Amino acid sequence: MDGCPWHERRWVIIGDFNLKQRRINKSLVNRKAREYVEKNPRLKGIVGLYREVFSVQRKLSQRIPDRLPHIEGALVSARLQEEELLLRPEELELDLPLLVDMIREIGDALVRKSEREPEGLRAFLEEELTEELAREMAEGYLSGDEARFNALLEGKAVKPELVYLLLHLTLAPFYWKAAGSLARQADLDQVARGTCPVCGDLPVMGFLRAEDGLRVLECSRCGTRWGFPRIMCPFCMTTDQEKLHYIYLEEDPAHRAYLCDNCRKYIKITQSYSGKDEELLLPLEDLATARLDLAAEEKGYIRGCRTVFS
Ligand SMILES: [Zn+2]
Ligand SMILES: [Zn+2]
């Protein structure tokens, strides 16, 4: 028995394709970064790091060649319906010399802008990184096999999790490029999935769309947004209302952490945003609401989303 086919069809196919994707560029990031730091000067360091990394990602992304989407039209809908990724890891086209340049430049940004210089990173970039190692790291990362990835870094002073983050930040522009055309062709208004329908990664956080309260999640890697049911946990998919509740900080009712007693994870959601949704920068929202993470963690819940820098 596979449940009610009508119900599934309604979820996946019918919709009016009106979910707007984010529109992000350097001047928007700079303007918003200034606003967040004005409101909370303690964010200066971490927001400065985000700004710098974004600026390098953006600059280098212009060197990624434009390619036709690898799937179109009916195939996009078919994959969505089958709950298959629109962009499989092997479909991501990487240009190896460009990848190495990007690892170096984004790595340099981490060295320059981190509050404490990450151990071993400078030596890794200057002495240990080769084209061959970059190719193997990208394959290890894309295979999702952590042990395989970590083995490549054995005996090096740099921490594998830092290099993993570096790869994540480096591959993001390749994902942005591929995800943009796919997200525009797909009906992502109602996708009851807690991982990105395009690339399969975890969300960074979510927001409620002003006009109708649709809960929208944003992928931490490719930036795709998708509509997700309001009363459902994105990590264990429970819809048991008894198990789902939320907290917020008294001084900031505009952000909530939705807690799940079934899997003990939580997700942060921006409840009300006065600007345009396309210009809401969830990575900055995430950095600006670190105290809400602490509050949820103090209650014994674990973050289910990725952070901007992990
Ligand atoms: Zn994604
Ligand atoms: Zn859950």
Side-chain angles (χ1 to χ4, degrees):
M1 291 297 284
D2 61 355
C4 167
W6 270 103
H7 196 69
E8 277 175 23
R9 284 181 68 85
R10 221 174 54 208
W11 258 130
V12 182
I13 298 178
I14 301 169
D16 47 7
F17 286 66
N18 64 357
L19 182 62
K20 292 195 188 89
Q21 294 297 324
R22 68 176 188 182
R23 267 207 309 272
I24 181 169
N25 58 47
K26 199 172 157 187
S27 68
L28 175 71
V29 167
N30 287 342
R31 176 162 58 87
K32 295 283 177 183
R34 270 197 303 274
E35 287 172 17
Y36 282 92
V37 174
E38 261 165 37
K39 263 191 257 164
N40 180 359
R42 276 182 303 183
L43 291 172
K44 193 164 184 250
I46 190 79
V47 165
L49 177 62
Y50 174 77
R51 219 167 115 167
E52 181 70 15
V53 168
F54 180 81
S55 133
V56 176
Q57 286 172 320
R58 187 76 184 178
K59 183 184 83 187
L60 293 168
S61 74
Q62 285 156 6
R63 287 172 52 195
I64 301 173
D66 284 313
R67 294 190 177 91
L68 290 172
H70 56 279
I71 53 165
E72 281 189 293
L75 246 176
V76 172
S77 311
R79 280 205 193 172
L80 204 54
Q81 201 177 3
E82 298 295 318
E83 299 209 354
E84 273 188 55
L85 297 180
L86 301 187
L87 177 64
R88 297 176 186 145
E90 68 274 16
E91 289 168 336
L92 189 72
E93 292 186 56
L94 294 175
D95 172 320
L96 193 55
L98 176 59
L99 180 71
V100 176
D101 284 354
M102 289 177 64
I103 294 175
R104 270 189 223 289
E105 289 212 30
I106 294 174
D108 277 345
L110 294 179
V111 168
R112 273 196 322 272
K113 289 278 179 174
S114 294
E115 278 164 20
R116 265 213 339 252
E117 186 178 320
E119 192 190 335
L121 184 56
R122 194 189 291 259
F124 174 76
L125 297 170
E126 287 171 6
E127 294 152 30
E128 294 168 330
L129 179 65
T130 59
E131 227 172 67
E132 179 57 18
L133 180 58
R135 188 181 56 75
E136 287 179 319
M137 288 193 315
E139 284 172 9
Y141 173 96
L142 293 171
S143 73
D145 183 345
E146 207 182 312
R148 176 177 163 190
F149 185 87
N150 291 351
L152 296 168
L153 300 161
E154 235 169 54
K156 303 194 192 317
V158 69
K159 288 202 175 73
E161 47 288 13
L162 179 66
V163 181
Y164 185 89
L165 165 66
L166 180 54
L167 251 275
H168 188 78
L169 297 172
T170 302
L171 292 178
F174 290 94
Y175 274 100
W176 297 343
K177 203 106 185 181
S181 72
L182 293 168
R184 278 192 297 276
Q185 295 179 65
D187 180 3
L188 299 177
D189 264 28
Q190 301 284 347
V191 182
R193 283 155 72 177
T195 51
C196 173
V198 173
C199 80
D201 211 329
L202 287 166
V204 64
M205 59 181 276
F207 69 96
L208 294 189
R209 188 163 69 178
E211 68 255 38
D212 58 1
L214 177 72
R215 176 149 78 150
V216 179
L217 308 186
E218 181 174 301
C219 176
S220 59
R221 183 163 60 190
C222 73
T224 297
R225 290 177 171 185
W226 71 100
F228 184 84
R230 272 179 84 159
I231 303 178
M232 184 186 266
C233 167
F235 309 112
C236 70
M237 313 307 273
T238 187
T239 51
D240 181 350
Q241 292 196 38
E242 301 283 300
K243 299 247 183 333
L244 300 169
H245 47 114
Y246 61 83
I247 54 166
Y248 59 88
L249 304 176
E250 214 172 307
E251 70 271 21
D252 180 20
H255 298 94
R256 288 182 187 169
Y258 283 83
L259 316 170
C260 173
D261 286 337
N262 193 45
C263 66
R264 305 296 294 174
K265 290 185 177 167
Y266 71 89
I267 182 167
K268 292 188 295 186
I269 303 284
T270 299
Q271 295 296 119
S272 59
Y273 179 67
S274 51
K276 288 187 198 145
D277 288 349
E278 308 93 279
E279 296 188 351
L280 174 57
L281 293 185
L282 288 172
L284 287 177
E285 285 284 281
D286 179 36
L287 296 175
T289 52
R291 287 200 53 220
L292 188 52
D293 288 280
L294 283 181
E297 280 155 19
E298 269 167 20
K299 287 185 174 292
Y301 295 86
I302 307 161
R303 186 175 161 115
C305 292
R306 270 191 198 284
T307 68
V308 179
F309 293 116
S310 69

